[in-house]
């Protein structure tokens, strides 16, 4: 079977299918999320796809009232802020994502270290051109 | 990576430096801001010079494509300053664009290719509404994996702040004390975007309330004002309005020459003795969230090239796009220990204008303003004036400034430049 290329498009397709897929170095076993075409540790391009279990913990976060256009178009604003954070997966890698199910009205109550589970949300694409920004896309998010 | 010690092929000196007024400048465009900085620079060259001797331009510009729907800023800046047909390189590295331009210009002279170059940067930002400026700035992070996760620039630095708070017990008040200090400095800078102390801002707000017949707020001190969400709202928690630099229009430029001809232009040239630059991963891919690895590497390269140590540096202009950024910068540069020592340096007066290590005497990005593509060059303009004793009311007077440094971060640490300047 032909190897699925280690591209953003491949990753996006997996996310659309609600699968969190990473690239794993065949040589040194390092796992990369977002997937990469070249291993940062040993610089090998011998990689394979692996599915992660989607479990992790919060390592840094913010609550935003003044967001970029895709978040504004998704209904977020000063009165309805959202949380974005960095999540460390059980398998080791870290990724940026929207964090759902936390108390955005009281950010001081959101604790670093809380367990999180991967989930998937749909919103408009990141683009300056309106026609392209309107295209709906599935994004990785995490649920507290 | 090669461990070879890097050095300049020949010495490079600064003999002129100038900047436009920073602020909301509705009547001028990028190239006109650059022309304003150029004329200010020309008037700073003690014995004068013929601008036609400039052999090349290096112009930092982050996003005129987005803000002005205009690319080729290098050629346009050459045109407006009368320097066409000289080669003009537009340099983009987000908020470090002009520091990278300065560095490229240094290498242009050090290589022997040129004897005199113009380096600097310009940015016109106030033209777009806030939501589109948020988008334009967010293009400096990874739009596929960071911005699309909802992160804005204030949000990315806010995340570093939460990690810093978690790891070191840093408080939001520690962050706000950086803002108070930089406003105290910027109040003395006539070219600053907001030449006002926080106390001045409080007085303004009280006067406005009185004028409108509203109840006059009565804050005990600056901290109580900064804790008042009506006047200092959250932008990206824990970053409040006063933790964030403003959206600013401005330009700055510097005249670099080969060191053997520097004395033709002035008795007080300043020499670039150390230069470092590094790139960094996306925030989530870094080994640390409480420091900027690229800044540490750039600093290490600059110190090695200059043969000096952090404690030898008299003053520094550092990248305080958000208050937490200055706390990380003074640790990454080796001035203070990462953690509590760096977080409390501003509050304890150590980085004040009359402190042991004055940081951001210009007012910093926070108060002077942050026209992203011009910021690094504007830091150098401040260093030029401070080292020559020409900084007016904000001149550092408690020490001789023989060594100074600027630290400029591109985006949230995907680029970092550190350069060291010497007065001989
Ligand atoms: Zn590997």
């Amino acid at each position: 079977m032909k190897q699925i290329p280690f591209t953003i498009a491949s990753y996006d397709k997996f996310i659309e299918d609600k699968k969190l897929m990473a690239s794993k170095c065949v040589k040194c076993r390092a796992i990369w999320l977002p997937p990469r075409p070249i291993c940062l540790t040993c610089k090998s391009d011998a990689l394979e796809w692996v599915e992660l279990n989607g479990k992790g913990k919060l390592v840094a976060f913010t609550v935003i009232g003044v967001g970029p256009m895709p978040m504004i178009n998704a209904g977020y604003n000063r009165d309805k802020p959202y949380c974005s954070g960095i999540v460390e997966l059980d398998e080791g890698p870290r990724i940026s994502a929207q964090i759902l199910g936390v108390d955005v009205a009281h950010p001081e109550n959101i604790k670093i270290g809380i367990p999180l589970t991967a989930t998937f949300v749909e919103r408009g694409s990141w683009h300056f051109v309106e026609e392209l920004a309107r295209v709906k896309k599935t994004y990785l998010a995490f649920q507290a | 990576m090669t461990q070879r010690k890097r050095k300049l092929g020949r010495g490079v000196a600064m003999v002129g430096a100038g900047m436009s007024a920073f602020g909301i400048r509705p009547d001028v465009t990028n190239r006109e801001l650059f022309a304003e900085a150029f004329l200010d620079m020309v008037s700073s060259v003690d014995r004068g010079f013929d601008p036609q001797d400039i052999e090349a331009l290096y112009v930092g510009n982050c996003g005129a494509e987005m803000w002005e729907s205009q690319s080729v800023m290098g050629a346009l800046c050459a045109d407006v300053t009368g320097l066409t047909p000289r080669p003009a390189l537009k340099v983009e590295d987000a908020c470090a664009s002009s520091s990278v331009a300065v560095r490229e210009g240094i290498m242009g002279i050090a290589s022997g290719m040129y004897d005199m170059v113009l380096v600097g940067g310009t940015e016109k930002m106030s033209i777009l509404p806030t939501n589109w400026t948020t988008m334009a700035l967010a293009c400096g992070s990874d739009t596929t994996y960071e911005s699309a996760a909802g992160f804005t620039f204030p949000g990315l630095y806010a995340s570093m702040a939460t990690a810093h708070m978690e790891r070191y017990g840093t408080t939001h008040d520690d962050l706000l004390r950086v803002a108070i200090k930089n406003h105290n400095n910027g109040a003395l800078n006539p070219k600053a975007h907001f030449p006002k102390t926080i106390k001045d801002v409080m007085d303004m707000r009280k006067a406005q309330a009185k004028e409108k017949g509203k109840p006059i707020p009565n804050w005990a001190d600056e901290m109580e004002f900064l804790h008042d969400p009506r006047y200092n709202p959250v932008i990206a928690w824990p970053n409040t309005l006063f933790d964030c630099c403003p959206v600013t229009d401005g330009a700055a430029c510097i005249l670099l020459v080969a060191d053997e001809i520097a004395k033709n232009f002035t008795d007080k040239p300043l020499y670039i003795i150390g230069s470092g630059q590094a790139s960094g991963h996306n925030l989530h891919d870094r080994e640390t969230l409480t420091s900027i690895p690229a800044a540490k590497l750039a600093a290490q390269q600059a110190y090695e090239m200059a043969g000096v140590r952090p404690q030898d540096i008299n003053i520094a202009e550092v990248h305080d796009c958000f208050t937490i950024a200055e706390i990380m910068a003074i640790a990454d540069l080796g001035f203070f220990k990462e953690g509590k020592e760096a977080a409390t340096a501003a509050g304890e007066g150590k980085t004040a204008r009359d402190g042991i290590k004055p940081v951001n005497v210009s007012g910093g990005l926070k108060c002077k303003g942050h026209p992203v593509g011009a910021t690094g060059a504007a830091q150098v303009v401040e260093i030029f004036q401070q080292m020559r004793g020409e900084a007016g009311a904000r001149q550092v007077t408690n020490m001789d400034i023989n060594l100074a440094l600027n630290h400029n971060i591109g985006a949230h640490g995907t680029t970092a430049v550190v350069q060291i300047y010497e007065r001989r």
Side-chain angles (χ1 to χ4, degrees):
Chain A
M1 196 185 84
K2 196 170 164 285
Q3 175 76 278
I4 297 167
F6 296 94
T7 58
I8 293 166
S10 302
Y11 174 74
D12 282 350
K13 182 74 182 64
F14 283 127
I15 292 290
E16 201 182 318
D17 296 340
K18 300 191 175 5
K19 287 171 90 165
L20 182 56
M21 300 294 284
S23 63
K24 182 172 179 178
C25 178
V26 173
K27 240 173 105 184
C28 79
R29 317 308 293 163
I31 295 173
W32 299 105
L33 181 77
R36 295 173 169 278
I38 296 170
C39 173
L40 286 190
T41 307
C42 73
K43 319 300 176 193
S44 165
D45 66 344
L47 297 148
E48 60 187 10
W49 286 100
V50 289
E51 184 169 3
L52 306 185
N53 73 10
K55 305 264 184 234
K57 62 174 185 184
L58 186 65
V59 295
F61 72 96
T62 181
V63 173
I64 298 177
V66 186
M69 293 303 280
M71 300 308 280
I72 293 172
N73 292 337
Y76 295 103
N77 53 49
R78 275 185 197 277
D79 297 323
K80 193 194 168 194
Y82 62 92
C83 178
S84 288
I86 295 177
V87 181
E88 185 172 306
L89 279 303
D90 280 0
E91 294 87 350
R94 290 175 170 185
I95 192 154
S96 301
Q98 187 181 356
I99 312 295
L100 305 168
V102 291
D103 186 2
V104 291
H106 303 97
E108 62 280 9
N109 293 342
I110 303 173
K111 296 291 173 226
I112 285 176
I114 53 168
L116 299 166
T117 307
T119 183
F120 302 89
V121 295
E122 205 176 74
R123 54 176 177 259
S125 304
W126 178 279
H127 214 288
F128 271 75
V129 178
E130 214 186 318
E131 288 88 327
L132 295 173
R134 243 185 271 135
V135 177
K136 290 275 188 224
K137 222 180 120 176
T138 307
Y139 288 97
L140 174 67
F142 284 84
Q143 185 75 43
Chain B
M1 207 160 59
T2 173
Q3 293 302 305
R4 186 174 71 84
K5 190 177 165 186
R6 297 181 182 91
K7 59 179 177 27
L8 300 178
R10 65 171 170 162
V12 181
M14 303 197 279
V15 296
M19 62 187 276
S20 73
F22 276 18
I24 304 296
R25 304 286 311 272
D27 299 331
V28 285
T29 63
N30 263 305
R31 76 187 89 167
E32 291 155 336
L33 288 163
F34 190 81
E36 189 179 323
F38 175 75
L39 292 173
D40 190 45
M41 179 282 290
V42 169
S43 69
S44 77
V45 180
D46 294 333
R47 277 196 270 281
F49 77 111
D50 182 356
Q52 295 310 310
D53 290 338
I54 293 171
E55 294 170 278
L57 293 82
Y58 299 80
V59 179
N61 180 257
C62 172
E65 288 86 349
M66 296 177 283
W67 277 288
E68 282 188 336
S69 301
Q70 176 67 67
S71 54
V72 295
M73 198 49 66
L76 288 173
C77 287
D79 177 79
V80 75
T81 50
L83 294 173
T84 314
R86 288 158 190 78
L89 174 66
K90 193 275 292 278
V91 179
E92 188 277 311
D93 244 320
C95 324
S97 297
S98 59
S99 277
V100 177
V102 172
R103 198 174 128 91
E104 291 300 311
I106 290 168
M107 291 191 278
I109 290 177
S111 71
M113 177 78 94
Y114 303 122
D115 283 336
M116 180 187 281
V117 302
L118 181 65
V119 295
T122 184
E123 206 76 57
K124 167 80 182 183
M125 301 176 73
S126 66
I127 194 167
L128 289 178
T130 305
N131 49 359
W132 287 106
T133 289
T134 302
M135 287 289 282
L137 286 170
C139 286
S141 55
D142 185 334
T143 58
T144 303
Y145 294 120
E146 295 181 313
S147 323
F151 274 121
T152 56
F153 258 93
L156 286 162
Y157 276 93
S159 295
M160 295 188 233
T162 59
H164 208 278
M165 289 169 168
E166 173 74 10
R167 185 169 176 189
Y168 295 116
T170 307
T171 66
H172 188 229
D173 284 1
D174 292 331
L175 272 56
L176 291 172
R177 287 186 190 103
V178 173
I180 293 172
K181 181 217 15 133
N182 290 349
H183 274 270
N184 284 341
N185 291 339
L188 302 172
N189 187 345
K191 291 203 170 167
H193 189 157
F194 293 115
K196 297 198 179 340
T197 64
I198 301 286
K199 281 212 170 86
D200 294 337
V201 177
M202 290 159 65
D203 290 341
M204 275 169 52
R205 296 289 173 260
K206 284 180 189 171
Q208 283 165 352
K210 193 177 173 187
E211 206 175 299
K212 288 180 186 163
K214 287 184 178 169
I216 299 166
N218 188 22
W219 304 288
D221 55 16
E222 291 141 307
M223 212 40 104
E224 207 175 299
F225 165 75
L226 292 169
H227 289 169
D228 188 338
R230 293 169 305 169
Y231 293 89
N232 187 24
V234 171
I235 301 297
W237 193 90
N239 275 337
T240 59
L241 183 65
F242 278 90
D243 288 295
C244 306
C245 62
V247 167
T248 304
D249 306 325
C253 68
I254 298 132
L255 187 65
L256 297 180
V257 299
D259 68 356
E260 63 261 29
I261 61 168
K263 289 272 170 75
N264 296 348
F265 306 99
T266 175
D267 292 332
K268 300 188 284 185
L270 302 172
Y271 298 89
I272 293 133
I273 60 167
S275 177
Q277 182 182 339
S279 61
H281 297 299
N282 285 347
L283 188 58
H284 55 233
D285 275 335
R286 293 181 202 158
E287 63 269 32
T288 174
L289 299 174
T290 55
S291 156
I292 292 184
K296 273 191 174 168
L297 284 170
Q300 198 184 322
Q301 291 169 23
Y303 287 133
E304 265 177 31
M305 187 187 288
V308 304
R309 301 161 303 169
Q311 58 266 41
D312 300 326
I313 301 295
N314 299 121
I315 64 163
E317 287 288 304
V318 310
H319 198 85
D320 61 328
C321 50
F322 301 94
T323 47
I324 185 66
E326 180 171 309
I327 289 171
M328 293 192 295
I330 58 176
D332 290 341
L333 291 166
F335 298 159
F336 299 95
K337 261 208 287 246
E338 182 178 325
K340 194 174 171 56
E341 189 178 290
T344 55
E348 291 175 0
K350 292 173 183 165
T351 50
R353 204 170 57 256
D354 58 357
I356 50 163
K357 186 77 85 180
V359 170
N360 285 331
V361 285
S362 67
L365 286 54
K366 172 68 198 86
C367 181
K368 184 181 57 187
H370 182 25
V372 285
T375 279
Q379 291 178 327
V380 184
V381 173
E382 179 70 14
I383 283 168
F384 184 83
Q385 294 175 355
Q386 288 284 347
M387 293 190 94
R388 289 161 47 105
E390 297 165 351
R394 66 186 187 288
Q395 180 67 46
V396 171
T397 52
N398 62 340
M399 61 179 77
D400 288 329
I401 308 172
N402 295 313
L403 285 170
L405 170 156
N406 82 307
H407 156 285
N408 189 196
I409 300 295
H412 51 325
T414 41
T415 291
V417 179
V418 173
Q419 296 190 127
I420 298 172
Y421 310 86
E422 183 184 36
R423 186 178 76 176
R424 290 179 187 154

